[in-house]
Amino acid sequence: GWRLEIIVFVGADTVILPSVTIGNNVIIGAHSTVTHDITDNSVVVGSPAKIICSLDEYLGKEKKTNEKQ
């Protein structure tokens, strides 16, 4: 089976294939298909899932968005 590390968010209707390891501090977008291991501190989306940015980049974007509101 697959293995999840700590602090992982998995969006709705996500498929994780067997033998995949999801690292620490990872966000997986909804409806993604994870076909390979995901490194720590990553944000992934898509089918197949691809890294779109680091968790730090994502949180920086969120902070900027919240400051504008």
Side-chain angles (χ1 to χ4, degrees):
W2 40 266
R3 177 179 156 176
L4 295 176
E5 299 292 339
I6 60 171
I7 310 177
V8 174
F9 174 83
V10 180
D13 297 321
T14 293
V15 175
I16 302 173
L17 296 184
S19 302
V20 169
T21 298
I22 309 297
N24 297 312
N25 305 316
V26 170
I27 297 174
I28 302 172
H31 308 286
S32 295
T33 302
V34 183
T35 59
H36 61 278
D37 294 349
I38 305 297
T39 57
D40 293 349
N41 304 307
S42 298
V43 178
V44 301
V45 297
S47 185
K50 295 182 182 175
I51 296 174
I52 59 166
C53 64
S54 71
L55 185 61
D56 288 338
E57 290 170 328
Y58 176 78
L59 295 175
K61 291 175 188 176
E62 283 290 307
K63 183 177 178 182
K64 288 179 185 177
T65 300
N66 290 334
E67 288 174 354
K68 290 179 182 178
Q69 295 177 356

